Amino acid sequence: MTGGEKSKRPWQGEVGLIGYELISKYLKTVPSPAFTTAIYYIAGPPGMVGDLRTMLTNSGVDDDDIRAEEFTGY
């Protein structure tokens, strides 16, 4: 979530960058089979998508298990 302070609705969820630390927070042990065998869906600005793909592959996730869509211009 970005720009939460501008929202008229309260946000109770996570804030900040999506990365290994945030993802591993929700897994019991990392690296775990759940981390490397999950299917990951990434959508967002090209820089974010690229960084997350790199983080996942560097953490042992097979590139075939990553689905990505880049959105530009917002």
Side-chain angles (χ1 to χ4, degrees):
M1 169 62 128
T2 58
E5 67 281 352
K6 298 175 189 172
S7 176
K8 294 179 180 173
R9 296 179 141 182
W11 175 255
Q12 302 299 320
E14 295 285 353
V15 295
L17 297 175
I18 300 170
Y20 186 80
E21 292 78 22
L22 180 63
I23 293 170
S24 66
K25 179 177 173 181
Y26 294 96
L27 300 174
K28 298 292 180 204
T29 58
V30 174
S32 73
F35 188 85
T36 57
T37 60
I39 303 294
Y40 292 87
Y41 295 88
I42 308 167
M48 183 191 88
V49 170
D51 289 349
L52 283 171
R53 180 184 294 276
T54 298
M55 184 273 305
L56 290 169
T57 56
N58 288 346
S59 298
V61 176
D62 190 294
D63 197 54
D64 289 339
D65 294 331
I66 302 171
R67 313 293 189 268
E69 192 165 346
E70 296 177 359
F71 298 103
T72 58
Y74 65 93

